[in-house]
Amino acid sequence: MSPILSVPDLVTWLAGGHPPVVLDVRWTLAGPPAREVYQTGHVPGARYVDFDTVLSGPADPAGGGRHPLPAPEVFAAAMRDLGLRTDSDVVVYGAPDGFGAARAWWCLRYFGHRSVRVLDGGFAAWVAAGQPVEPGEPGEPALVETAGDFVARPGGMPVLDVDEAAMLARSGLLLDARAGERYRGETEPVDPVGGHIPGALSAPTAANLDADGLFLHPSRLRERFAALGIDEADGGSDVGTYCGSGVSAAQQVLALELAGVRAGLYVGSWSDWVSDGRRPVSTGPDRG
């Protein structure tokens, strides 16, 4: 089963006898609060997911990055509150860049839920297709039709800690999912230090999408990653990715999975790496 689905596929699924649970994760670094965006209009029946309290744990200045993983019990409780059951089919959507939706997809997979897919193109694709939009909050019956029984079982997706990321940058392929100028250290709008992990390879997530914000066809993604030295035949055992705080890199993991490669996510990412000033930093276009 592909980890993504199209708007027409979702429309058909929602009209069937066993519709999926739809989660709205329109997270961005700037702009109006996500809850207000959701209340303005969402896929009918979609359930709002707060990124900062559900898909991320509290940040610790001492390390772990801006968006560490949520505690298993916190994530599980939030999913149960949304009515998520062990056998639920789930579809997540967000902004066209796919960042928030991919993080939700990754978290659900990491905590043991297998049947989860991302709406290709996000909410913008839904609206562009002329599909109906529901304002406000769903009524209680629509929000939770049955009690959830989701139990978090960590370990469903590969994770890299800081030492594993450093080793992979030297001995495998560690992809930096941020924009090229941040990788090169020319600008750093969020973290105190610019640059990249020595040995990491620049692979901005924007190149995973077409002009309409849809994921490239798997064959084109395979070509893209092959040009970076990734061979799908190795199963991605020596491939990992990071970004600023483990959000856009989740979209990279999703794109790699579409290409047939299973990759590890350095959740702490650059914000964790630079929390310790003793760690080396490379700048410029070379891997370092």
Side-chain angles (χ1 to χ4, degrees):
M1 182 178 68
S2 172
I4 64 173
L5 83 166
S6 68
V7 169
D9 287 341
L10 178 56
V11 171
T12 299
W13 201 358
L14 289 172
H18 300 283
V21 174
V22 181
L23 303 180
D24 183 305
V25 195
R26 277 177 285 172
W27 175 86
T28 60
L29 281 172
R35 184 106 202 183
E36 293 181 10
V37 172
Y38 169 84
Q39 290 170 336
T40 299
H42 50 267
V43 173
R47 307 165 193 187
Y48 171 75
V49 177
D50 183 77
F51 181 94
D52 293 317
T53 59
V54 176
L55 303 179
S56 177
D60 182 348
R66 288 191 307 279
H67 296 114
L69 286 180
E73 60 275 14
V74 172
F75 183 79
M79 293 299 105
R80 288 195 296 269
D81 286 346
L82 292 170
L84 191 66
R85 300 185 60 79
T86 303
D87 59 354
S88 295
D89 294 310
V90 182
V91 174
V92 294
Y93 70 85
D97 59 24
F99 294 167
R103 174 74 174 222
W105 167 83
W106 190 92
C107 283
L108 281 160
R109 291 278 300 274
Y110 174 76
F111 286 117
H113 199 78
R114 303 299 298 177
S115 184
V116 53
R117 304 172 76 182
V118 172
L119 179 63
D120 200 12
F123 185 69
W126 179 267
V127 173
Q131 295 303 318
V133 172
E134 177 181 64
E137 301 281 352
E140 283 301 317
L143 181 62
V144 180
E145 295 177 355
T146 57
D149 64 0
F150 179 81
V151 176
R153 297 181 175 86
M157 295 289 277
V159 177
L160 304 173
D161 62 23
V162 63
D163 294 327
E164 291 166 333
M167 183 179 299
L168 193 58
R170 295 191 300 268
S171 62
L173 282 172
L174 182 66
L175 305 182
D176 187 313
R178 300 171 300 163
E181 57 269 23
R182 293 182 70 187
Y183 171 88
R184 296 187 295 271
E186 297 167 358
T187 182
E188 180 44 64
V190 185
D191 294 304
V193 180
H196 59 270
I197 296 173
L201 186 65
S202 181
T205 54
N208 295 327
L209 308 175
D210 66 16
D212 296 320
L214 302 175
F215 279 96
L216 300 178
H217 188 275
S219 62
R220 292 183 61 192
L221 287 171
R222 283 191 288 271
E223 291 174 358
R224 184 206 177 196
F225 293 124
L228 295 171
I230 298 172
D231 181 358
E232 63 174 312
D234 67 13
S237 59
D238 295 321
V239 178
T241 187
Y242 75 98
C243 56
S245 60
V247 182
S248 63
Q251 189 252 59
Q252 189 97 286
V253 173
L254 177 57
L256 284 158
E257 181 149 322
L258 283 167
V261 177
R262 188 170 172 86
L265 175 65
Y266 176 21
V267 177
S269 285
W270 186 245
S271 56
D272 176 49
W273 184 268
V274 298
S275 66
D276 185 339
R278 296 169 296 180
R279 295 188 184 116
V281 170
S282 290
T283 56
D286 297 329
R287 294 173 68 173

